[in-house]
Each structure stands twice: as structure tokens, then as C-alpha cells.
Amino acid sequence: MAVMADGNVPENLSERLYDLAGKIRGYDELADYIKIGSEALFLMPATIQVKSREVFELKFLMSTLSFPLFYIGLVFLCVSFTVLSVQQLSDCNKYRFRYQILNKLGMGKRRIKRTVAKQLFFYYLCPVLLSTVISAAVILYVGEQFVSYTGIHTEGILYFCISLTGFLGIYICYFGLTYLQFMKSVG
């Protein structure tokens, strides 16, 4: 039997239906969970399913999986940008001499600042392009698989755009701080 309700259903509807049927959610059907499924697809042959409850549990599962992965990605991102910033700032003495020569040859401070910004931009551009391409491929593939296995339709591109926005925010902070320190050192 399938029922479509107008509006929201009570949060405990699933438990109440199991109580009416004289079953305990999950425990009576544990043998079915173990026997049916494969590495690629897990079939849940529950006799009572409430969509709002199942969606809530899937969202909880996705958040428990995505938070540690997001944290690990953030740590790798900060480490890589820190290494890149330290490498650029450690070469400041070499660049200071070169920019002083360019200044003596008649290149103005404004043009030197633009040249430094371009130089740092190209150093920072390679990791951004590479990580964006790899992330787009992985997120879109995993999102497509999630939709096909769960039946819950979500926009994978939305999650990619949210992730990319956070990534670019961190990128801009590191780039700006490196640029300011670089200009102070070259100064």
C-alpha cells in the first residue's frame, strides 16, 4: 500500500506504523538486509517506509560522510597554499634585486605591482585549475551515482558550486596575503 499525504507527516509516523504492525524497525527485517544487495546496490526490503524519514536518514548519512572529507580537503588546501606562499616569500630577495633594476630602468611602482600580481596569479593558477577539474569530475560522478542508487534527485552542480565558492574564498585570502607580504618584502 502506498499513501500520498498532503503537507508534512508527523515525524514519528514511521515508528507509529511499526508499532501498529507489531514490528520493531530494522530488527525484524535484519535478515532481509543482509541477504539482499551487492557491492554496487543495497536493496532495503522494509515493509514500512516513510519517505520523510528515509530522506532524513540519508541526509544524516551524507553529512557524516561529507564533513570529514570536507575537512580533509580543507587541510590539504591550506597546506598546499601555505607551501606555495612560503616558497614565493622565500624568493623575495632574488625578486627584490630584479624589481629594483626594473625600477631604475624606468618601470614605475604601479607597473611593478601589476607585474608582481601577474606573477603570483600564474603561480597560484595551476593548482586552482587542476583541483577544479578533478573536483568537478569527482563530484558530478558521485552525485550521479547517488541519485541513481537512492532515487533522491539533487543537483550535483549546486554542491560543486558551493564547494568552489568556499575554495575560491580561501584562495583569494591566501593570494591577497601573499601579495601584500611579497610587496612589503620587495618594497
Side-chain angles (χ1 to χ4, degrees), residues 14-24 48:
S14 180
E15 286 78 12
R16 288 172 45 195
L17 289 173
Y18 270 98
D19 287 343
L20 287 173
K23 295 184 175 191
I24 299 173
I48 299 171

Side-chain angles (χ1 to χ4, degrees), residues 11-187:
E11 287 185 27
N12 62 348
L13 178 63
S14 180
E15 286 78 12
R16 288 172 45 195
L17 289 173
Y18 270 98
D19 287 343
L20 287 173
K23 295 184 175 191
I24 299 173
R25 186 180 194 307
Y27 295 110
D28 288 345
E29 298 163 337
L30 187 58
D32 292 333
Y33 291 161
I34 294 171
K35 290 179 184 173
I36 300 174
S38 69
E39 293 176 359
L41 182 63
F42 179 73
L43 180 62
M44 189 169 131
T47 55
I48 299 171
Q49 288 185 329
V50 177
K51 181 179 178 182
S52 60
R53 173 69 180 225
E54 303 301 329
V55 168
F56 175 76
E57 287 180 1
L58 283 173
K59 285 182 179 179
F60 177 74
L61 175 68
M62 289 304 296
S63 65
T64 58
L65 292 174
S66 61
F67 181 74
L69 294 175
F70 178 77
Y71 181 75
I72 290 169
L74 185 64
V75 167
F76 281 133
L77 178 69
C78 290
V79 167
S80 65
F81 280 155
T82 301
V83 168
L84 191 58
S85 295
V86 168
Q87 188 269 330
Q88 287 300 306
L89 293 174
S90 66
D91 289 342
C92 279
N93 290 332
K94 177 174 59 173
Y95 289 117
R96 180 183 310 132
F97 176 71
R98 292 176 183 172
Y99 288 125
Q100 285 173 349
I101 291 175
L102 289 174
N103 190 18
K104 288 177 184 176
L105 290 173
M107 185 182 257
K109 292 269 186 193
R110 188 176 201 173
R111 192 152 178 216
I112 289 176
K113 286 182 180 182
R114 266 192 259 142
T115 305
V116 168
K118 285 180 187 177
Q119 174 185 338
L120 290 177
F121 178 74
F122 285 116
Y123 275 115
Y124 274 77
L125 185 64
C126 292
V128 168
L129 289 178
L130 185 62
S131 62
T132 302
V133 169
I134 291 171
S135 297
V138 169
I139 288 174
L140 294 176
Y141 174 75
V142 169
E144 182 181 305
Q145 296 303 313
F146 177 75
V147 168
S148 69
Y149 287 126
T150 62
I152 297 175
H153 296 285
T154 59
E155 292 295 322
I157 195 74
L158 174 69
Y159 295 116
F160 174 69
C161 290
I162 291 169
S163 303
L164 187 62
T165 302
F167 172 75
L168 290 177
I170 295 169
Y171 167 77
I172 289 169
C173 289
Y174 268 93
F175 179 80
L177 290 172
T178 303
Y179 176 76
L180 291 175
Q181 284 298 110
F182 195 90
M183 288 308 298
K184 189 184 288 186
S185 297
V186 170

